[in-house]
């Protein structure tokens, strides 16, 4: 069985995912077979494995950093928040049910065997599995039903590195309090602390780290700096609040506004736009902040009907329609595509209690929700050459589908799917209005296709009568290495290797 090392945090957004990603890359560069693992993730950013299973996008990126093929065992349980109190439970890549937090607690005895079996499977074919916890391991009210933190660590007898976010303040209290609330057998698994997001001279922490060691018996393996120079996807929507992520270039020639829906899904679809020179990407949640963008994007949503209602309550629907009347384009992805149509039908109450909802009416299509979820990786050809697809006709793109609606109508399909989950296909996809300025598609990852993205941006620039700076191709391999190099410089990697049982 392969070795295990677990990364837990004092709370959400403490840096667990990035540290897990960095360790996956570091161990992979050591020549080891590495896999990430997170027993349960709560996220609306999901991905599809080559065999059509849905799991967390964060574990897919970690797998990429590790040089591993993504597989559903890396995240056997995914919770997708749906209406504030309930989540869709995705188990081993397939929807299981919709449950409240209390109902989910009753499900954990059923889910735990999936977690244990998935971890065992990964350990059997890897030299080391880097496991990630969720939230805090000190949620004492959830101890009896949790399946992602200390229960996993105890099952695997895994050494744990506990990460604290100093940027939020109170890091010593957070680390000490977390350890204090653990059971003795859990405390015994904590082998190192890591301080994350520090700004300034780390020697200022020395006296605090020494007292922390005296009180807990645990040393600190490193102090990681606050950094912005590595371009990696955000896992949590908390990251969208960071000005760096939303407005990287205030005076950029092109202005793109993404509507920040309450249940925005797969917002990493827009990372390539955020990184483009000459593009200002903004997340907008009210009409007063809309301004006059060159492109409006309606993103994916876990609750299409509820988020469309929210848009109408805010007046953002009127902003979109007024934008279109000025001759400017709109793109809708997945749930956003469904909103752009004429009607949304839900006869089986799959997503909401509304059997029929009027869409924005910008595309001649209708959507019918179905209980079966489509999850597949896709390769497609661009068959339209007008408007937003001008200059791209005949080229190929790739992406993935995750949706529970079937959309049909008379809208011209700009794409033709040639492959679904590795199998040949021949089917139209998406819709484009006659002018080519309203584009709807189910293809997540559309903007990750460099040639399509650049051609679309050049089209927007030409319509505005401006020039665009040259685009840069983002090399994720280099970004993973930059992250690994940064963490290696600030973490005692000899100690990490000893903790993981990789050296003596």
């Amino acid at each position: 069985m392969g070795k295990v090392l677990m990364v837990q945090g004092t709370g959400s957004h403490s840096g667990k995912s990035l540290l897990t990603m960095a360790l996956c890359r570091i161990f992979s560069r050591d020549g080891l077979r590495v896999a990430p693992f997170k027993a349960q993730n709560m996220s609306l950013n999901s991905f599809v494995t080559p065999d059509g299973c849905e799991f967390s996008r964060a574990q897919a990126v970690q797998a990429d950093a590790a040089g591993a093929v993504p597989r559903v065992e890396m995240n056997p349980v995914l919770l997708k928040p749906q209406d504030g109190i309930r989540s869709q439970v995705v188990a081993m890549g397939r929807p299981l049910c919709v449950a409240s937090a209390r109902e989910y607690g009753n499900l954990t005895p059923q889910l735990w065997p999936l977690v244990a079996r998935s971890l065992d499977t990964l350990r059997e074919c890897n030299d080391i599995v880097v496991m990630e916890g969720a939230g805090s391991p000190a949620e004492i009210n959830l101890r009896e039903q949790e399946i992602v933190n200390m229960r996993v660590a105890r099952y695997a007898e895994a050494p744990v590195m506990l990460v604290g976010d100093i940027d939020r303040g109170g890091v010593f209290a957070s680390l000490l309090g977390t350890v204090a609330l653990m059971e003795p057998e859990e405390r015994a698994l904590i082998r190192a602390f890591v301080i994350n997001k520090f700004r300034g001279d780390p020697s200022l922490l020395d006296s605090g780290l020494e007292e922390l060691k005296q009180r807990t018996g645990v040393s600190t393996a490193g102090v990681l700096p606050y950094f912005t120079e590595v371009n990696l996807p955000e896992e949590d929507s908390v990251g969208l609040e960071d000005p760096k992520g939303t407005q990287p270039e205030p005076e950029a020639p092109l202005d793109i506004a993404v509507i920040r829906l309450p249940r925005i899904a797969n917002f990493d679809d827009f990372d390539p736009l955020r990184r483009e020179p000459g593009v200002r990407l903004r997340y907008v949640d009210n009409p007063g902040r809309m301004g006059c963008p060159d492109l409006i994007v309606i993103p994916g949503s876990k609750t299409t009907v509820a988020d469309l209602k929210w848009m109408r309550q805010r007046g953002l629907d009127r902003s979109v329609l007024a934008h279109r009347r000025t001759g400017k384009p709109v793109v809708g992805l997945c749930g956003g595509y469904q909103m752009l149509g004429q009607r949304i039908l839900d006869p089986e109450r799959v997503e909401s209690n509304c059997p029929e909802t009027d869409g924005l009416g910008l595309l001649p299509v209708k959507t019918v929700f179905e209980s079966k979820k489509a999850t597949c990786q896709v390769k497609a050809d661009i068959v339209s050459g007008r408007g937003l697809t001008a200059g791209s006709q005949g080229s190929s793109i790739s992406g993935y589908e995750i949706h529970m609606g079937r959309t049909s109508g008379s809208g011209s399909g700009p794409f033709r799917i040639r492959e679904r989950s590795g199998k040949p296909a021949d089917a139209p996809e998406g819709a484009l209005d006659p002018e080519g300025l309203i584009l709807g598609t189910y293809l997540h990852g559309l903007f990750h296709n460099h040639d399509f993205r650049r051609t679309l941006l050049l089209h927007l620039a030409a319509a505005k009568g401006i020039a665009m700076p040259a685009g840069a191709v983002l090399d994720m391999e280099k970004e993973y290495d930059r992250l690994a190099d940064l963490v290696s410089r600030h973490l005692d990697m000899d100690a990490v290797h000893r903790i993981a049982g990789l050296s003596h």
Side-chain angles (χ1 to χ4, degrees):
M1 297 284 280
K3 304 288 186 181
V4 285
L5 176 64
M6 190 164 199
V7 177
Q8 295 186 9
T10 57
S12 297
H13 211 60
S14 60
K16 298 184 295 293
S17 295
L18 277 180
L19 181 55
T20 299
M21 187 189 307
L23 292 172
C24 283
R25 188 63 168 189
I26 291 167
F27 293 144
S28 177
R29 297 196 304 189
D30 290 341
L32 301 174
R33 295 172 301 165
V34 188
F37 175 78
K38 187 163 184 172
Q40 167 201 300
N41 204 340
M42 177 174 280
S43 177
L44 288 176
N45 276 5
S46 59
F47 190 68
V48 178
T49 64
D51 58 351
C53 293
E54 183 182 9
F55 78 141
S56 171
R57 177 72 175 169
Q59 277 61 67
V61 177
Q62 290 167 352
D64 196 33
V69 176
R71 51 189 298 177
V72 74
E73 286 86 356
M74 295 172 178
N75 172 222
V77 180
L78 174 63
L79 305 180
K80 304 188 74 173
Q82 190 156 300
D83 59 8
I85 61 172
R86 301 182 304 161
S87 295
Q88 182 185 62
V89 181
V90 180
M92 297 305 292
R94 305 295 178 198
L96 176 65
C97 64
V98 175
S100 67
R102 190 174 298 278
E103 291 166 340
Y104 178 72
N106 296 329
L107 284 174
T108 55
Q110 174 184 345
L111 297 174
W112 172 250
L114 305 180
V115 169
R117 186 162 60 246
S118 294
L119 179 55
D120 291 344
T121 298
L122 293 177
R123 293 186 70 183
E124 287 170 359
C125 55
N126 288 279
D127 299 311
I128 184 168
V129 177
V130 185
M131 308 190 301
E132 179 187 343
S136 164
E139 304 290 356
I140 54 178
N141 58 313
L142 302 177
R143 178 173 283 141
E144 297 303 316
Q145 61 194 50
E146 75 94 3
I147 58 172
V148 64
N149 286 310
M150 276 302 172
R151 186 173 182 182
V152 176
R154 293 197 310 270
Y155 173 78
E157 298 181 349
V160 176
M161 299 174 65
L162 184 62
V163 186
D165 176 2
I166 198 170
D167 193 51
R168 294 188 174 188
V171 70
F172 292 112
S174 297
L175 291 168
L176 183 60
T178 298
V179 173
L181 287 172
M182 290 180 175
E183 297 294 332
E185 64 270 22
E186 297 172 341
R187 285 197 292 271
L189 294 174
I190 303 295
R191 303 295 173 80
F193 296 129
V194 176
I195 306 291
N196 192 30
K197 304 180 189 176
F198 182 74
R199 308 171 194 250
D201 179 1
S203 67
L204 296 173
L205 299 177
D206 287 349
S207 60
L209 297 178
E210 181 57 35
E211 184 171 345
L212 186 63
K213 181 179 179 180
Q214 292 174 3
R215 287 174 177 264
T216 64
V218 178
S219 298
T220 298
V223 178
L224 303 180
Y226 188 98
F227 62 88
T228 59
E229 64 271 21
V230 180
N231 287 308
L232 293 167
E234 290 282 356
E235 179 187 8
D236 299 322
S237 59
V238 174
L240 301 185
E241 298 168 4
D242 181 355
K244 166 187 169 285
T246 56
Q247 298 181 13
E249 213 170 329
E251 302 303 322
L254 286 182
D255 180 24
I256 297 178
V258 179
I259 295 181
R260 184 173 177 174
L261 303 171
R263 286 286 176 262
I264 185 172
N266 289 69
F267 52 79
D268 58 320
D269 277 334
F270 312 113
D271 277 342
L273 294 172
R274 174 174 60 86
R275 299 185 184 111
E276 277 282 356
V279 172
R280 181 191 188 204
L281 185 73
R282 300 180 291 122
Y283 288 89
V284 177
D285 59 6
N286 70 68
R289 297 179 182 175
M290 182 64 74
C292 300
D294 301 296
L295 172 67
I296 290 179
V297 183
I298 308 178
S301 167
K302 186 66 188 73
T303 53
T304 300
V305 171
D307 280 359
L308 178 56
K309 180 180 179 181
W310 172 87
M311 282 179 60
R312 287 183 164 131
Q313 290 171 339
R314 290 287 184 106
L316 282 164
D317 61 324
R318 295 191 295 274
S319 296
V320 172
L321 296 174
H323 173 85
R324 178 62 188 94
R325 285 195 296 270
T326 65
K328 291 185 177 181
V330 180
V331 172
L333 296 178
C334 200
Y337 172 27
Q338 295 168 345
M339 294 180 195
L340 289 175
Q342 303 288 342
R343 289 185 299 160
I344 301 171
L345 307 177
D346 194 355
E348 299 179 30
R349 309 302 195 271
V350 171
E351 196 211 61
S352 74
N353 290 321
C354 299
E356 183 171 343
T357 303
D358 289 335
L360 296 176
L362 293 177
L363 286 173
V365 298
K366 70 175 182 179
T367 296
V368 180
F369 280 113
E370 299 173 335
S371 56
K372 184 178 179 180
K373 178 181 281 192
T375 56
C376 52
Q377 291 190 5
V378 169
K379 293 182 180 178
D381 294 336
I382 302 175
V383 296
S384 170
R386 67 182 187 278
L388 293 174
T389 58
S392 295
Q393 187 175 14
S395 60
S396 298
I397 56 174
S398 61
Y400 55 100
E401 292 182 79
I402 304 173
H403 58 92
M404 299 185 77
R406 177 173 50 84
T407 300
S408 60
S410 59
S412 171
F415 310 120
R416 190 115 196 141
I417 295 178
R418 299 303 185 188
E419 184 179 301
R420 272 197 171 102
S421 295
K423 298 179 180 179
D426 185 13
E429 203 288 320
L432 190 67
D433 75 342
E435 295 177 77
L437 295 180
I438 306 295
L439 170 64
T441 177
Y442 277 121
L443 295 185
H444 290 293
L446 179 67
F447 296 120
H448 284 73
N449 292 275
H450 177 267
D451 291 344
F452 172 80
R453 181 180 71 252
R454 286 300 301 176
T455 302
L456 182 146
L457 293 176
L458 291 173
H459 170 83
L460 295 177
K464 196 174 183 179
I466 60 172
M468 280 288 291
V473 179
L474 182 65
D475 187 337
M476 290 303 298
E477 294 297 311
K478 290 183 179 178
E479 298 302 317
Y480 297 142
D481 284 334
R482 290 172 68 185
L483 175 66
D485 290 344
L486 184 147
V487 170
S488 295
R489 286 196 302 270
H490 295 277
L491 210 59
D492 184 347
M493 288 309 302
D494 288 338
V496 173
H497 280 86
R498 286 194 302 273
I499 290 168
L502 298 174
S503 62
H504 302 286

